[in-house]
Amino acid sequence: MAEQVLNQFRSDKKLREDCVAIYEAMGMDLNTAFRMFMERTRMEKGLPFPAVLPETKMARAEAQEVIDDIGEEAAELPETMDILGD
């Protein structure tokens, strides 16, 4: 048998209770579920599920502020610009 180590961490009580109930319904305890997670992590060489950032969404007020800022910057520009240097 491989050398055993103790893994400890803190979690939200309700989250733990919910997970324990789910794993018990599947016929396993929390420790077994975490060992399975760790084994799968080793097999995948990373998280055993997709881990991506959610799409960035902007609130209407924030979008309006950006539009207003761009409008103010545009108002400071000359009406026409001589980009060819004529």
Side-chain angles (χ1 to χ4, degrees), residues 1-85:
M1 181 180 223
E3 181 181 0
Q4 300 279 308
V5 296
L6 176 65
N7 295 295
Q8 289 182 307
F9 64 95
R10 296 192 180 279
S11 68
D12 178 79
K13 183 178 181 180
K14 177 76 169 116
L15 174 62
R16 183 184 187 284
E17 290 171 353
D18 291 348
C19 289
V20 165
I22 291 167
Y23 295 134
E24 284 179 352
M26 297 173 70
M28 71 179 90
D29 62 9
L30 191 61
N31 291 336
T32 300
F34 276 100
R35 281 193 297 276
M36 290 172 67
F37 174 84
M38 291 175 65
E39 187 61 43
R40 189 66 184 192
T41 297
R42 180 167 51 183
M43 291 170 61
E44 298 287 334
K45 296 184 176 34
L47 290 172
F49 49 80
V52 296
L53 294 173
E55 289 185 32
T56 302
K57 294 189 178 179
M58 187 179 290
R60 185 182 305 269
E62 188 179 5
Q64 188 61 56
E65 186 177 323
V66 170
I67 292 168
D68 292 345
D69 289 346
I70 292 171
E72 289 172 13
E73 289 178 25
E76 296 171 7
L77 295 174
E79 195 64 35
T80 60
M81 294 174 40
D82 185 7
I83 59 172
L84 298 178

